[in-house]
Amino acid sequence: MANTSYEFQLLPSYTLKPVPHLVPWLSDFHLSLLLPVMAYWLVSFIFWYIDKKDYWSQYRIHTPEEFKQRNRVTVGEVLRSIFLQQAVQTALGLCLGYLTAAGDFHGREDYDIAIWAGRVHRARDAVPWILALLGVDAKTLAVNIQTYAISMPLTAPTAEKPLVLLSSIVYPHLGDGLTYGYTGWEIWGAKMIYWFLEPAARFGLAIFFSDSWQYFWHRAMHTNKWMFRNIHAHHHKIYVPYAFGAFYNTLTEAFLLDTIGTTLSLMLSGLTIRQTMFFSTISVMKGVDDHCGYRLPWDPLQWGNEQNTAFHDV
């Protein structure tokens, strides 16, 4: 089997260019601030309409009577508070964006893929050493795998390529000398890492940090009487939650949990502006959904957890 290799003795040069805007008349940065607000009110409207038409009443967590009798704040007060909070958070987002010159650029994709190819290549070179620690002779194992692959009947040609690839991983330099080039599968692996695995890891880190930040601060506000009384009790004036009251908080709580938590998660994970759009929008939709007052079995935002208004009662 021919083992194509790519030489990157010098890393590819690149020229950074701004990524074209998704909306011609609006920058991606400003769109990243606008989309979560739009998602908040769109999802809230959907649940308001479901409630108004009394659809799926069998999935309600609280009754309409409880909504009228047990909430200690009017709808008008909630709306004013949400509008103020979103205005303040958007203004803070604008300031942070201008201070950090937020923006996405492209043009260095081949350079970054070459960097990852080098890492994959070095990781491949470590395989024989790892096998040696386990008492396995890598060269002998690789030869045996290749011999078996070659001896396979012609009726099973698709099985040969994976086996030859496996042998080249087990003992990298079998059949290709001591080349310092990158093989075709190393380039393929580097592209998979760059386009899929690395973004997934960044999203995973952002979700983990943001969720942990929210959980531990929220828990602290329920266990510390002073914090609950002065910061978090405001949120529980809505005893029977509804969708557009999801972010009914004091400005202190909103700043601490949402603004700081989201900012830190984005900084640590290194999400791009467009990735930030997706992350922030889904996070807002999840927050609204958690307070919607329904336990819907087909709602994807409720799959995998039971974080809904049933856990909101104090």
Side-chain angles (χ1 to χ4, degrees):
M1 174 183 172
N3 196 10
T4 306
S5 64
Y6 299 81
E7 294 289 345
F8 280 105
Q9 296 176 358
L10 294 176
L11 290 173
S13 60
Y14 62 88
T15 302
L16 291 178
K17 298 178 181 178
V19 174
H21 301 321
L22 289 173
V23 179
W25 46 269
L26 185 66
S27 73
D28 284 356
F29 165 65
H30 291 94
L31 185 60
S32 71
L33 297 177
L34 182 61
L35 279 179
V37 176
M38 294 174 61
Y40 186 94
W41 293 110
L42 176 61
V43 177
S44 295
F45 174 79
I46 291 172
F47 281 112
W48 173 84
Y49 187 80
I50 291 171
D51 182 70
K52 194 75 172 176
K53 295 296 183 179
D54 200 29
Y55 295 143
W56 306 318
S57 58
Q58 69 271 29
Y59 297 115
R60 287 182 184 273
I61 296 176
H62 294 96
T63 65
E65 289 71 26
E66 287 180 296
F67 171 83
K68 295 176 182 177
Q69 296 173 6
R70 302 179 71 179
N71 284 342
R72 304 193 302 274
V73 62
T74 67
V75 171
E77 290 174 307
V78 171
L79 289 173
R80 286 193 295 272
S81 176
I82 298 297
F83 287 144
L84 175 61
Q85 178 183 324
Q86 289 180 336
V88 171
Q89 289 180 328
T90 301
L92 289 172
L94 287 170
C95 292
L96 285 173
Y98 287 124
L99 288 174
T100 58
D104 286 344
F105 295 87
H106 70 101
R108 57 175 288 168
E109 290 82 2
D110 290 342
Y111 177 90
D112 289 333
I113 290 172
I115 293 293
W116 273 114
R119 293 168 180 166
V120 171
H121 186 83
R122 288 190 293 274
R124 186 181 75 149
D125 284 341
V127 172
W129 294 92
I130 296 173
L131 290 175
L133 291 175
L134 299 174
V136 178
D137 183 72
K139 186 174 182 179
T140 301
L141 178 60
V143 170
N144 291 337
I145 293 173
Q146 278 203 0
T147 302
Y148 177 73
I150 295 171
S151 67
M152 295 190 70
L154 296 176
T155 55
T158 56
E160 180 183 351
K161 290 183 178 180
L163 288 173
V164 174
L165 173 60
L166 177 61
S167 70
S168 70
I169 295 174
V170 169
Y171 193 74
H173 303 303
L174 183 67
D176 64 351
L178 295 176
T179 177
Y180 292 98
Y182 301 151
T183 63
W185 75 264
E186 287 174 335
I187 297 297
W188 178 85
K191 289 180 178 179
M192 290 294 294
I193 293 172
Y194 178 78
W195 292 111
F196 300 103
L197 298 183
E198 183 181 355
R202 291 182 184 278
F203 273 111
L205 177 59
I207 292 169
F208 174 78
F209 182 87
S210 179
D211 200 49
S212 300
W213 181 273
Q214 291 268 344
Y215 171 80
F216 285 108
W217 275 110
H218 188 216
R219 185 179 181 88
M221 289 179 185
H222 274 273
T223 55
N224 184 287
K225 293 182 179 180
W226 184 91
M227 292 180 71
F228 183 83
R229 183 173 61 252
N230 293 280
I231 300 176
H232 191 55
H234 184 82
H235 179 70
H236 285 279
K237 289 181 179 180
I238 306 179
Y239 192 87
V240 179
Y242 44 89
F244 64 83
F247 291 173
Y248 177 70
N249 304 312
T250 61
L251 289 177
T252 302
E253 180 175 351
F255 180 75
L256 182 60
L257 266 69
D258 299 325
T259 305
I260 295 181
T262 300
T263 301
L264 289 177
S265 66
L266 297 178
M267 291 175 62
L268 288 172
S269 62
L271 293 180
T272 66
I273 296 295
R274 291 191 179 178
Q275 292 168 347
T276 297
M277 288 184 202
F278 182 80
F279 174 77
S280 300
T281 302
I282 294 297
S283 297
V284 167
M285 292 172 64
K286 182 72 171 74
V288 174
D289 190 275
D290 287 344
H291 292 77
C292 70
Y294 289 84
R295 187 185 287 112
L296 302 174
W298 58 83
D299 184 349
L301 293 175
Q302 295 184 15
W303 294 345
N305 68 77
E306 296 184 357
Q307 185 175 335
N308 52 45
T309 51
F311 293 86
H312 199 269
D313 299 344
V314 178

